[in-house]
Amino acid sequence: MITNYFEFYNLPETFRPDEATLKRQYYALSREYHPDFHATAAPEHQQEILNLATLNTNAFRTLSDPDQRMAYILSTHGLLEEGKQELPNDFLMEVMDLNEQLMELEFEPDPETVARVENEVDDLSETLDAGIEPVLAGYEGLPQDVRPQALQQVRTYYLKRRYLLRIRETLAKFATRS
């Protein structure tokens, strides 16, 4: 059974799939693999259809969400393995500074500090997004021998975004306290 979601939908591996094509494939396969249409089939065939219907649902959920799609692509290339999450030191220093500011907020809440940290996180996010956009948009057209470097860039971006997401979640906790 095909477990590669892009192959399942006959789509090229891309960070920017055509949304209409993705939906069209999902709905077509939803009809084809709907268990009700196979109710009189042999139990083995019914199980196969149920597995394909589940695969279809999982594939659509994953590929239709940009974050899940990115994690999926990176995972299929073995780039999200635990313990191999190195990031550039300059970024880690910035994050450490933001985390120190968050720890200070824990003891001494200050709306101005919250706003400043939010702005710093927004600026970092915008810079990250702008820097990776050409890679994401052009990935599908890259030659196979160049894709590993692009995937490394996407991996670094993905991991940085996860750090910033955790900071945003912490900031949201402070916002609910005020």
Side-chain angles (χ1 to χ4, degrees):
M1 180 185 296
I2 299 171
T3 56
N4 181 300
Y5 294 160
F6 289 103
E7 288 177 15
F8 185 68
Y9 284 137
N10 293 313
L11 295 173
E13 182 178 88
T14 179
F15 290 98
R16 301 284 190 255
D18 179 67
E19 302 283 331
T21 302
L22 185 63
K23 282 182 184 177
R24 200 170 32 257
Q25 290 289 84
Y26 169 70
Y27 288 124
L29 292 175
S30 291
R31 286 186 295 277
E32 183 178 338
Y33 299 136
H34 196 286
D36 289 350
F37 296 130
H38 303 274
T40 60
E44 301 82 29
H45 183 71
Q46 286 181 9
Q47 185 59 50
E48 180 183 341
I49 292 298
L50 185 59
N51 291 342
L52 288 167
T54 302
L55 176 62
N56 186 39
T57 300
N58 292 339
F60 183 73
R61 282 184 185 151
T62 300
L63 297 182
S64 63
D65 179 89
D67 291 328
Q68 288 184 35
R69 181 174 52 243
M70 186 177 293
Y72 173 75
I73 292 171
L74 292 171
S75 294
T76 61
H77 290 278
L79 295 173
L80 287 184
E81 297 174 28
E82 287 297 318
K84 296 184 180 180
Q85 314 282 332
E86 307 99 24
L87 284 171
N89 285 334
D90 59 335
F91 177 78
L92 293 174
M93 294 301 288
E94 286 182 86
V95 169
M96 189 169 75
D97 179 53
L98 291 170
N99 279 321
E100 286 174 2
Q101 292 180 60
L102 291 174
M103 286 191 297
E104 290 174 18
L105 285 172
E106 190 73 40
F107 299 108
E108 196 172 319
D110 176 25
E112 288 180 23
T113 303
V114 169
R116 185 177 65 250
V117 172
E118 284 175 343
N119 286 334
E120 288 180 45
V121 171
D122 288 344
D123 290 346
L124 274 171
S125 293
E126 287 174 21
T127 301
L128 280 175
D129 291 345
I132 201 65
E133 184 53 36
V135 177
L136 298 177
Y139 177 79
E140 183 182 344
L142 290 175
Q144 290 297 324
D145 63 329
V146 178
R147 284 187 176 193
Q149 295 98 326
L151 287 169
Q152 286 298 332
Q153 290 177 287
V154 173
R155 178 187 167 275
T156 299
Y157 166 80
Y158 177 81
L159 295 173
K160 285 180 177 182
R161 276 202 39 229
R162 289 186 54 200
Y163 268 90
L164 295 177
L165 178 62
R166 286 192 289 273
I167 291 172
R168 285 187 196 280
E169 289 169 350
T170 303
L171 281 169
K173 292 176 190 170
F174 290 117
T176 58
R177 291 181 192 170
S178 343

